[in-house]
Amino acid sequence: MSSAATESVDQPTGSAITADAPVTRAEYCAVAVADTFAGDGESIASAFGTIPAIGVRLARLTVAPDLLLTDGEAHFVSGSWEIGADPHATEGVVIEGWSPFRTIFDLVWHGKRHVMMIPVQIDGHGNTNISAIGDYARPKVQLLGVRGAPGNSIYHPTSYWVANHSTRSFVRTVDMVSGVGTDSARAAGPAATAHHELRRVVTNLAVLDFGGPDGTMRLLSLHPGVTLDEFHAATGCAVHVEGEVPATREPSAEELRLIREVIDPRSLRDREIPA
């Protein structure tokens, strides 16, 4: 499969943002997503949303060179391509293998996948809801259904992306458990806990994990410009805070070049997280 030596990162694309422009909130988020996939080895990365898509491509070009990425359909591909572009029309992108739907199930059940999903609701133990808002018998809003969330969250590493961190998304109790949190996995027993790993939650305000007491959510960093008071005001569930909270790390000059010139030269990231 692909390695750093086979990646193509010198595509001649122009960027609307100069190399010395200030780092945007979206770029902090993209680098935080990339760090979430660091060291994953040869496993498939499935990321939903613009910032996660940028982050996993950045990860493969930097901290996780053996990540497997798909063309969005049925092939594993090497190389790098612009967000929103056809990978097969991009110079340097090579088909490495066929990935029919049944292959994805094999990868899921054997833990060789790391998914970053977008919850509608998430609570302090990482239970997530993508199914319905309100009473399950008579919901106010019908959403996607559980989809692959239960299997994803108990068979392989799972992370979450929240573009609008608010008390509507971070709640005391989710209206329905779609993705399995740390407390729900324990309650279900060894079959659910054996491979249960909630890795990270990246939002437009902060980065979190589940290293708090009893598997609760813990605040790892705040993006520059976000205060702890602002974070708490936007969070409707308890989050463990240890001492002084650091700022999310700065992207390197090379990471900014890759984001701005190779992965997202049209700055689609700023539509998801305005500068």
Side-chain angles (χ1 to χ4, degrees), residues 81-253:
W81 65 99
E82 179 185 327
I83 291 293
D86 178 3
H88 300 290
T90 303
E91 183 179 356
V93 173
V94 177
I95 294 176
E96 291 191 310
W98 186 40
S99 175
F101 198 52
R102 64 175 181 270
T103 299
I104 301 301
F105 283 108
D106 289 338
L107 289 165
V108 168
W109 295 331
H110 289 85
K112 299 298 291 181
R113 184 176 185 237
H114 181 177
V115 66
M116 178 167 274
M117 298 188 291
I118 303 175
V120 176
Q121 295 177 324
I122 184 168
D123 69 19
H125 282 91
N127 296 291
T128 57
N129 175 25
I130 58 171
S131 299
I133 300 298
D135 178 37
Y136 181 75
R138 296 180 63 86
K140 297 176 183 177
V141 180
Q142 179 67 53
L143 302 172
L144 293 173
V146 298
R147 306 289 293 217
N152 289 343
S153 54
I154 64 171
Y155 280 118
H156 57 67
T158 298
S159 296
Y160 292 105
W161 161 243
V162 180
N164 183 16
H165 188 133
S166 71
T167 54
R168 294 182 65 182
S169 52
F170 284 78
V171 297
R172 187 181 300 274
T173 304
V174 297
D175 291 340
M176 178 185 174
V177 175
S178 305
V180 180
T182 55
D183 56 347
S184 296
R186 286 195 301 270
T193 58
H195 305 291
H196 186 256
E197 182 187 352
L198 298 184
R199 182 79 59 83
R200 288 283 191 278
V201 181
V202 180
T203 82
N204 63 316
L205 300 183
V207 181
L208 308 99
D209 69 3
F210 295 89
D214 198 35
T216 52
M217 198 178 291
R218 175 178 62 175
L219 180 59
L220 294 181
S221 69
L222 293 169
H223 302 327
V226 179
T227 69
L228 187 57
D229 286 343
E230 289 170 338
F231 170 83
H232 282 309
T235 308
C237 61
V239 173
H240 182 66
V241 178
E242 298 175 347
E244 186 173 349
V245 181
T248 303
R249 76 168 179 89
E250 289 269 350
S252 69

Side-chain angles (χ1 to χ4, degrees), residues 34-43 59 63-65 67 199:
D35 287 347
T36 298
F37 288 83
D40 269 359
E42 195 173 29
S43 62
V63 296
L67 275 184
R199 182 79 59 83

